[in-house]
Amino acid sequence: RSRRVRHLLEFVFSSSSILAEQLMVMLRDGRTLIAYLRSLDQFGNLVLHQAFERICVGRQYADIPRGLFVIRGENVLLIGEI
């Protein structure tokens, strides 16, 4: 677990403008969020703002606004820049 958090921290701090970029976060429960990263801690917990949940069915998708979203680090499956 600590190696995963270390890689996450390296990813965030390797790009100085990561806080200004939109990110896609995939969660263990299958949800996909698009949002701006506001904060993260040593445990990989994330605070996202202007978040929306993207639901895909076939080639169609819908975005549901979620606003401020706090995610526990153990639930993060994937983070990527958009």
Side-chain angles (χ1 to χ4, degrees), residues 33-75:
L33 301 169
I34 311 290
Y36 293 95
L37 179 66
R38 290 296 283 179
S39 179
L40 113 125
D41 64 10
Q42 71 270 21
F43 303 109
N45 300 322
L46 305 174
V47 177
L48 306 174
H49 83 288
Q50 295 180 1
F52 56 89
E53 184 177 350
R54 179 159 287 176
I55 299 174
C56 298
V57 177
R59 297 180 57 94
Q60 297 179 340
Y61 67 91
D63 292 335
I64 302 170
R66 297 294 186 198
L68 188 67
F69 214 87
V70 179
I71 303 170
R72 191 173 170 125
E74 65 187 27
N75 294 317

Side-chain angles (χ1 to χ4, degrees), residues 13-32:
F13 293 117
S14 67
S15 175
S16 61
S17 64
I18 194 74
L19 295 175
E21 300 284 329
Q22 258 193 336
L23 299 177
M24 179 183 72
V25 180
M26 294 183 75
L27 303 178
R28 285 188 343 180
D29 65 2
R31 287 186 285 179
T32 301

